[in-house]
């Protein structure tokens, strides 16, 4: 059988796919027939039927491997064809290009500077050293800076000038911008609650209250509000964006009885992560997040997105990763049907991987051509499988419910076929939301509405910096 792994001719690949599909359908029909016969047979005839069944199943597996390489049932993030593994480098040295290099010269004690041959004094050999490296840590140190602003006067007595004061977050503030940025980064990027930071600071000599630290991150958020609003405007102006939401409890006064109703909402693009926190998971919050957006929105199957799409006129593209997870959950109960569903879904992700360049970017023209041929064929097969499942299973069975849910959302599921800019899944938004989820597990949300607003601003700024490869601390300081 010809190896198609390196074939680039589209015509040849199309013909091969058609032939393979016919062969697969024939083999599956023969397997089903043999299973029926096997159930009726006994003795030697049954053994022969079992051998024939095993042979056919091996041929089916061989065809699958031809299309997708050696992987058969990879899960989650392993949908793309297998790539050559990098050599295991063990625990060898890692280059540290970002670390400051500090030279420490070690000298012999005077008593050891005697020649072992003649007894004369050893003299330093200029420029000659035995060099080794050691990674060290300089403990964090808080200092109380006294800014002495020099005053100047003229001999005429008519003018006195004073050197300017360093920039501050607020006039007369006692804490530096660097300290405020440090607190914000530790909380919203490293997920360290303010009370935990207070204890760490006390060990290093700084006595401060958690309310003081919140006042500092509040000031940072106020200074970053304009940039935050620009991020929201940029996300809403994008032709394609992803949306998601997660719980963000707010325990402040008046909210203690129902903190679970609060949610953080995400609108994300290739270069923006934008959050809003609302006291609802309903339509009003979605409208606030998406007001002004007119592109294609990639989401899960949460009904609010479909509703807001109709109300403000935006196109919804549903996430195939969510569909895949629903079918994975049914695999043990319905192994044969689910096997084919997963087969064609893997096919679609394999198409996506073939359009990626070496630098990780996507060739949109190539992706559009590949999707138009191969992904469209895969979705057609999935739709046929779903219809056959509905015909063969009770309406209330899990697999029938999954098939019916998928077909109901079908126009949104195949939206990615017509626009190469639309991703096949919403995984990028889920990754961007992960920081807030980890933060919630560490500091349990916010203690006030203002705290939730600060969280939205600072998570947006810091997660966007991470996304585009900018040092979050430097970005926040700027």
């Amino acid at each position: 059988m010809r190896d198609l792994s390196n074939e680039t001719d589209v015509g040849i690949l199309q013909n091969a796919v058609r032939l393979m599909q016919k062969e697969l359908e024939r083999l599956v029909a023969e397997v089903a027939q043999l299973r029926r016969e096997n159930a009726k047979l006994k003795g030697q005839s049954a053994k022969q039927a079992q051998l024939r069944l095993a042979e056919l199943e091996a041929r089916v597996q061989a065809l699958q491997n031809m299309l997708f390489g050696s992987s058969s049932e990879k899960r989650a993030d392993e949908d793309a064809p297998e790539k050559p593994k990098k050599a295991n480098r063990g625990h060898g040295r890692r280059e540290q290009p970002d670390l400051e290099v500090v030279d420490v010269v070690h000298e012999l004690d005077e008593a050891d500077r005697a020649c072992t041959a003649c007894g004369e004094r050893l003299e330093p050999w200029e420029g000659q050293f035995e060099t080794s490296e050691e990674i060290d840590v300089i403990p964090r140190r808080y200092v109380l800076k006294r800014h002495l602003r020099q005053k100047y006067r003229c001999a005429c007595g008519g003018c006195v000038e004073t050197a300017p004061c360093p920039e501050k977050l607020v006039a007369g503030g006692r804490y530096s911008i660097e300290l405020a940025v440090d607190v914000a980064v530790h909380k919203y990027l490293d997920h360290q609650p303010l009370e935990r930071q207070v204890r760490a600071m006390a060990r290093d000599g700084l006595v401060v209250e958690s309310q003081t630290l919140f006042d500092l991150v509040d000031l940072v958020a106020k200074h970053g509000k304009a940039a935050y609003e620009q991020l929201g405007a940029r996300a809403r102006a994008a032709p394609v964006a992803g949306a998601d939401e997660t719980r963000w409890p707010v325990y402040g006064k008046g909210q203690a009885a129902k903190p679970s109703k609060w949610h953080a909402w995400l609108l994300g693009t290739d270069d923006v992560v934008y959050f809003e926190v609302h006291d609802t998971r309903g339509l009003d919050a979605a409208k606030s997040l998406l007001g002004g957006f007119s592109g294609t929105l990639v989401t899960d199957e949460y009904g609010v997105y479909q509703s807001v799409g109709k109300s403000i006129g935006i196109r919804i593209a549903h996430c195939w990763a969510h569909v895949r997870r629903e079918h994975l959950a049914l695999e043990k109960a319905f192994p044969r049907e689910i096997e084919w569903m997963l087969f064609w879904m893997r096919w679609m992700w394999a198409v996506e991987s073939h359009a990626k360049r070496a630098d990780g970017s996507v060739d949109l023209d190539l992706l559009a051509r590949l999707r138009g041929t191969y992904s469209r064929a895969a979705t057609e097969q999935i739709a046929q499988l779903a219809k056959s499942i509905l015909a063969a299973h009770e309406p209330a069975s899990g697999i029938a419910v999954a098939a019916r849910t998928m077909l109901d959302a079908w126009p949104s599921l195949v939206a990615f076929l017509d626009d190469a800019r639309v991703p096949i899944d919403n995984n990028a938004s889920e990754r961007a939301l992960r920081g807030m989820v980890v933060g919630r597990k560490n500091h349990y949300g916010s203690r006030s509405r203002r705290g939730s607003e600060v969280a939205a601003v600072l998570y947006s700024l810091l997660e966007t910096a991470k996304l585009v490869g900018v040092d979050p601390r430097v970005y926040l300081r700027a």
Side-chain angles (χ1 to χ4, degrees):
M1 192 175 286
R2 181 175 177 181
D3 182 6
L4 299 176
S5 59
N6 296 317
E7 182 60 61
T8 58
D9 188 286
V10 174
I12 292 175
L13 290 171
Q14 287 175 327
N15 290 332
V17 167
R18 283 192 285 269
L19 290 172
M20 288 180 193
Q21 177 59 23
K22 288 181 180 178
E23 178 67 4
L24 283 170
E25 290 172 354
R26 187 188 69 77
L27 288 172
V28 169
E30 192 169 346
V31 166
Q33 179 62 28
L34 279 170
R35 284 185 179 277
R36 288 192 293 269
E37 293 176 0
N38 191 33
K40 299 176 181 178
L41 294 174
K42 295 182 179 180
Q44 185 63 28
S45 297
K47 291 182 179 178
Q48 291 174 349
Q50 288 173 352
L51 289 173
R52 177 60 178 155
L53 182 60
E55 177 189 347
L56 289 173
E57 289 179 336
R59 290 181 63 188
V60 170
Q61 185 63 51
L63 282 172
Q64 290 180 352
N65 288 342
M66 232 188 111
L67 289 171
F68 298 105
S70 60
S71 59
S72 60
E73 287 300 325
K74 290 191 175 184
R75 294 293 183 260
D77 296 330
E78 300 177 341
D79 289 307
E82 202 170 89
K83 298 180 180 179
K85 293 182 178 180
K86 295 182 179 179
N88 186 2
R89 301 177 65 182
H91 296 285
R93 291 193 173 189
R94 296 284 299 273
E95 295 296 324
Q96 302 290 346
D98 297 327
L99 290 185
E100 176 188 359
V101 177
V102 178
D103 289 330
V104 180
V105 177
H106 300 271
E107 298 180 338
L108 287 174
D109 293 335
E110 192 64 36
D112 295 325
R113 296 187 186 187
C115 176
T116 56
C118 68
E120 292 295 322
R121 187 177 187 277
L122 296 176
E123 299 295 338
W125 188 355
E126 197 66 33
Q128 297 300 310
F129 300 94
E130 187 75 27
T131 303
S132 63
E133 291 183 349
E134 176 185 59
I135 296 177
D136 198 5
V137 58
I138 298 175
R140 184 165 60 170
R141 188 166 62 99
Y142 295 100
V143 297
L144 182 61
K145 284 186 178 178
R146 290 198 308 153
H147 294 285
L148 307 178
R149 300 164 58 200
Q150 181 66 55
K151 290 190 174 184
Y152 299 84
R153 65 179 180 177
C154 179
C156 74
C159 178
V160 175
E161 289 288 344
T162 303
C165 185
E167 286 183 307
K168 290 187 176 293
L169 283 170
V170 62
R174 194 183 187 201
Y175 297 91
S176 70
I177 295 175
E178 282 70 18
L179 179 61
V181 167
D182 189 69
V183 173
V185 168
H186 278 307
K187 179 169 183 180
Y188 298 104
L189 196 62
D190 301 327
H191 318 299
Q192 294 184 8
L194 297 182
E195 290 291 350
R196 195 179 301 166
Q197 292 190 53
V198 166
R199 294 193 294 271
M201 289 174 174
R203 291 195 299 269
D204 293 323
L206 175 62
V207 179
V208 67
E209 302 293 331
S210 60
Q211 182 60 50
T212 301
L213 299 188
F214 176 76
D215 292 342
L216 290 177
V217 296
D218 186 24
L219 287 169
V220 173
K222 286 177 180 175
H223 281 280
K225 186 67 179 294
Y228 166 76
E229 291 172 348
Q230 286 296 314
L231 291 180
R234 185 179 179 90
R236 294 185 181 104
V240 177
D244 208 346
E245 76 291 329
T246 188
R247 291 184 301 104
W248 186 260
V250 177
Y251 293 94
K253 186 177 181 180
Q255 308 301 332
K258 43 189 175 180
S260 60
K261 73 175 185 175
W262 289 78
H263 281 75
W265 292 73
L266 162 72
L267 186 63
T269 69
D270 289 341
D271 58 1
V272 170
V273 177
Y274 174 75
F275 290 102
E276 290 184 359
V277 178
H278 293 279
D279 60 353
T280 175
R281 199 189 173 208
L283 188 61
D284 290 342
K287 285 182 176 179
S288 171
L289 180 76
L290 298 169
F293 180 72
S294 59
T296 299
L297 188 70
V298 186
T299 74
D300 56 24
E301 296 175 2
Y302 182 38
V304 164
Y305 294 116
Q306 201 74 38
S307 298
V308 77
K310 293 178 181 177
S311 66
I312 65 177
I314 60 177
R315 189 183 189 190
I316 301 296
H318 277 153
C319 168
W320 274 99
H322 283 80
V323 175
R324 185 174 182 277
R325 290 171 202 157
E326 291 171 2
H327 285 81
L328 279 172
L330 298 166
E331 188 176 18
K332 288 185 178 180
F334 306 95
R336 301 303 296 174
E337 296 96 329
I338 297 302
E339 179 183 6
W340 284 103
M341 280 289 188
L342 297 179
F343 174 90
W344 290 112
M345 290 180 194
R346 285 197 301 275
W347 177 296
M348 293 194 296
W349 268 285
V351 168
E352 300 295 307
S353 70
H354 281 298
K356 287 186 178 180
R357 301 187 180 97
D359 62 359
S361 61
V362 177
D363 185 334
L364 292 179
D365 291 335
L366 175 60
L367 181 59
R369 294 196 300 273
L370 292 173
R371 282 180 173 180
T373 302
Y374 303 110
S375 299
R376 192 174 296 278
T379 57
E380 289 170 358
Q381 292 298 323
I382 290 172
Q384 290 178 16
L385 284 168
K387 292 173 184 176
S388 66
I389 286 170
L390 287 177
H393 291 271
E394 290 294 327
S397 67
I399 194 170
V401 170
R404 186 165 53 252
T405 300
M406 181 172 62
L407 291 175
D408 288 344
W410 196 251
S412 298
L413 281 171
V414 296
F416 79 103
L417 295 175
D418 301 321
D419 188 344
R421 297 171 301 178
V422 177
I424 192 174
D425 55 48
N426 202 28
N427 290 346
S429 296
E430 292 188 350
R431 286 192 297 271
L433 198 62
R434 193 172 298 158
M436 248 187 158
V437 173
V438 176
R440 182 185 68 212
K441 290 179 179 178
N442 279 270
H443 40 83
Y444 307 112
S446 301
R447 291 191 296 179
S448 66
R449 179 183 290 273
R450 177 57 191 161
S452 70
E453 294 168 354
V454 170
V457 171
L458 292 177
Y459 273 118
S460 298
L461 296 174
L462 293 170
E463 291 294 334
T464 297
K466 280 172 52 181
L467 179 65
V468 300
V470 174
D471 185 327
R473 190 182 298 272
V474 173
Y475 177 58
L476 203 57
R477 174 64 176 84

